[in-house]
């Protein structure tokens, strides 16, 4: 319970900066819309699907974010967000488990037509949906297979948001006991509301010295001893004005 109290009090401080952060994120969102050339490719066009504009639920950064956003739009139009999520993660796992496949997707010297043929064969044997298959072919054509794991991670974040799920990462020096992990999940659930389902992931990082760092909904709440010590050090280094004494 003490852990959850610290989290609530820590977050209340960070929330005072929310307005400024929201202004920055609004500008960022205007700069990172997925490339029209990606979304307009054939894999995003689903026969009989409505042409309603699909809103990407999270701001995605960089090239991998643009690819993930384009895949998300195609999956929503095909009403197959979860199926595509499963397939793209299955492909990434297969790459990890095969040295030959891993080397293949990293080798940019392989000719484009060979890359495409291999990906088409893999997708066909795996019985992937057209959305996933066509997307992987596009990635192969553009020489971006080496980035597929990052693209898959970004897509999974979008799929979770689509399903009303929130991924939270808590970083501590030692693993949280089961009761504290449960209490933390319940606290986050209360903060986010009943409509969201929290997936809590633990990370161990001795360098934070103590306390915790909590990340969720593209926010970071740093309540680590390391950060507190750095803040104290900066305060101590500030010159003292005679007028303040």
């Amino acid at each position: 319970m003490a852990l959850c109290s610290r989290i609530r009090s820590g977050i209340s401080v960070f929330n005072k900066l929310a307005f400024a952060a929201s202004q920055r994120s609004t500008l960022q969102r205007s700069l990172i819309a997925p490339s029209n050339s990606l979304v307009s490719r054939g894999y995003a066009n689903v026969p009989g699907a409505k042409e309603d504009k699909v809103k990407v639920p999270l701001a995605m950064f960089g090239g991998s974010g643009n690819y993930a956003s384009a895949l998300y739009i195609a999956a929503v139009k095909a009403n197959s967000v979860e199926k595509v999520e499963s397939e793209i993660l299955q492909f990434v796992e297969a790459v990890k488990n095969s040295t030959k496949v891993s080397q293949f997707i990293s080798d940019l010297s392989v000719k484009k037509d060979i890359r495409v043929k291999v990906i088409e064969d893999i997708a066909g044997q795996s019985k992937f949906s057209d959305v996933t298959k066509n997307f992987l072919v596009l990635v192969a054509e553009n020489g971006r297979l080496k980035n597929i794991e990052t693209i898959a991670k970004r897509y999974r974040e979008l799929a979770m948001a689509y399903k009303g799920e929130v991924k939270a990462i808590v970083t501590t020096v030692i693993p949280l006991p089961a009761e504290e992990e449960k209490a933390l999940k319940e606290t986050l659930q209360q903060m986010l509301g009943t409509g969201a389902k929290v997936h809590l992931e633990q990370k161990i990082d001795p360098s934070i010295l103590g306390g915790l760092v909590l990340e969720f909904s593209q926010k970071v709440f740093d309540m680590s001893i390391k950060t507190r010590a750095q803040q104290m050090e900066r305060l101590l280094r500030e010159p003292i004005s005679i007028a303040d004494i």
Side-chain angles (χ1 to χ4, degrees), residues 32-44:
I32 59 175
S35 167
N36 289 333
S37 63
L38 289 177
V39 179
S40 62
R41 290 296 299 265
Y43 76 89

Side-chain angles (χ1 to χ4, degrees), residues 29-70:
R29 282 195 296 271
S30 69
L31 297 174
I32 59 175
S35 167
N36 289 333
S37 63
L38 289 177
V39 179
S40 62
R41 290 296 299 265
Y43 76 89
N45 298 325
V46 181
K50 294 182 179 179
E51 292 302 318
D52 295 338
K53 185 176 181 180
V54 176
K55 183 177 180 180
V56 180
L58 298 174
M60 293 280 111
F61 299 88
S64 294
N66 284 342
Y67 275 90
S69 298

Side-chain angles (χ1 to χ4, degrees), residues 11 32 56 71 94 107 110 135 160 175 177 201 232:
I11 289 177
I32 59 175
V56 180
L71 177 58
D107 188 355
V110 178
F135 178 77
M160 289 180 68
E201 177 182 318
M232 181 63 70

Side-chain angles (χ1 to χ4, degrees), residues 137-194:
V137 167
L138 173 65
V139 173
E141 288 178 346
N142 292 347
R144 296 291 187 128
L145 283 172
K146 63 179 182 179
N147 304 119
I148 192 62
E149 184 174 357
T150 303
I151 294 171
K153 287 180 179 178
R154 299 289 83 81
Y155 177 81
R156 186 165 189 264
E157 292 174 11
L158 294 173
M160 289 180 68
Y162 175 85
K163 295 180 287 186
E165 300 175 353
V166 177
K167 179 182 178 180
I169 302 174
V170 58
T171 303
T172 54
V173 173
I174 59 175
L176 289 176
E179 61 272 16
E180 290 197 7
E181 180 183 5
K182 180 181 178 182
L184 177 56
K185 287 184 68 173
E186 291 175 350
T187 298
L188 289 172
Q189 190 72 63
Q190 292 172 5
M191 293 170 55
L192 295 169
T194 55

